[in-house]
Amino acid sequence: AVIPTCVDLDRFTVGEKDPDLAASLGLSGSRVVGCIGTMSNWYMREEMLRYLALLTRSLDRVRVLIVTRENHELVRRDAAAAGLPNDRLVVTTAAFADMPRFTRLFDAGVFFIRPVLSKRASAATKLAEFLACGVPVVINDGVGDSGVIVGQGQVGVVLPSLDAASMERSIPEVCGLFDDPLIADRCRRVAAEHFDVVRGAQRYRQLYDRLSSVLNKGTSDEL
């Protein structure tokens, strides 16, 4: 049984950017790319920041938004070391209840996860949240089936590696995400197909019912 990463599709929805929120963050009129949530541990912080710095150098009107509870001073320090100009960077925090509004500010979400053995059977919750809000993603390959889902669903860019050449080659694809009028609809459809929390809860219930039935029969033949 596979229990997917889940998102509440009634809370994380597709919609227009909140103009007041964008203005308060200095993002009005900008292409917004960046990260939400954790940027350490399994997340490849240095590589993410280097990639975001590349986007600011390569594309017009791009501003980087990072919504995280991690130390903002350290985030800015690491961003500067990666070549990301401070005047193109917005670092803020948000309550979970406000995350749908913040997530809808993005034109593309970026996150890279270290593709170690334990991550081959995992997926980031932020993938489901970005897609549910109609936001395409830029991710690295080798983490669960995320790369397959994003690639087959045409809802983002999957980097085969995180060297400088692969990052550079992805820039035209990212531009294509910005210019695609159907991208939000595809993102939402993929989120509903793979990550609906209602369906995830049903799968959990079915799994527990199956285990309970087997244990009650006193046999492990079906396990």
Side-chain angles (χ1 to χ4, degrees):
V2 176
I3 309 301
T5 290
C6 291
V7 61
D8 185 344
L9 295 171
D10 291 332
R11 298 189 66 242
F12 286 83
T13 59
V14 178
E16 297 294 327
K17 295 184 181 184
D18 183 330
D20 294 332
L21 180 59
S24 70
L25 296 171
L27 297 172
S28 298
S30 298
R31 291 283 193 191
V32 179
V33 299
C35 311
I36 60 175
T38 302
M39 295 185 66
S40 55
N41 298 323
W42 299 114
Y43 287 93
M44 303 174 73
R45 181 186 186 118
E46 178 182 344
E47 289 82 356
M48 290 190 291
L49 291 171
R50 281 199 288 110
Y51 187 75
L52 292 169
L54 173 64
L55 292 180
T56 63
R57 293 194 301 270
S58 304
L59 303 176
D60 293 334
R61 297 193 301 114
V62 165
R63 300 286 302 280
V64 173
L65 173 62
I66 296 176
V67 185
T68 183
R69 294 182 182 275
E70 296 189 1
N71 186 296
H72 289 186
E73 291 185 9
L74 293 181
V75 170
R76 288 190 177 277
R77 181 202 66 187
D78 293 346
L84 179 53
N86 190 58
D87 62 355
R88 305 286 290 277
L89 173 63
V90 176
V91 185
T92 189
T93 189
F96 179 71
D98 292 324
M99 281 308 300
R101 292 172 60 232
F102 278 82
T103 303
R104 284 191 288 268
L105 292 177
F106 288 85
D107 294 286
V110 174
F111 58 91
F112 304 144
I113 299 175
R114 204 169 303 283
V116 296
L117 179 62
S118 64
K119 294 292 136 183
R120 293 182 184 176
S122 70
T125 302
K126 63 187 69 179
L127 171 62
E129 293 172 347
F130 273 128
L131 296 182
C133 289
V135 178
V137 295
V138 181
I139 64 173
N140 62 312
D141 206 2
V143 179
D145 57 358
S146 299
V148 173
I149 290 172
V150 170
Q152 291 183 347
Q154 300 179 52
V155 292
V157 177
V158 182
L159 274 64
S161 67
L162 295 176
D163 57 28
S166 292
M167 290 185 178
E168 290 278 1
R169 285 195 297 268
S170 73
I171 298 300
E173 293 181 82
V174 175
C175 291
L177 299 178
F178 295 156
D179 296 333
D180 187 340
L182 302 178
I183 189 68
D185 290 340
R186 289 203 304 275
C187 288
R188 180 69 181 185
R189 185 166 59 249
V190 169
E193 178 181 354
H194 293 282
F195 305 126
D196 181 0
V197 71
V198 175
R199 294 175 63 188
Q202 290 171 345
R203 291 183 188 181
Y204 258 123
R205 180 58 184 266
Q206 291 167 358
L207 176 59
Y208 283 126
D209 286 347
R210 177 184 167 209
L211 292 173
S212 177
S213 175
V214 170
L215 293 174
N216 286 338
K217 289 178 181 178
T219 176
S220 61
D221 291 346
E222 296 182 39
L223 293 177

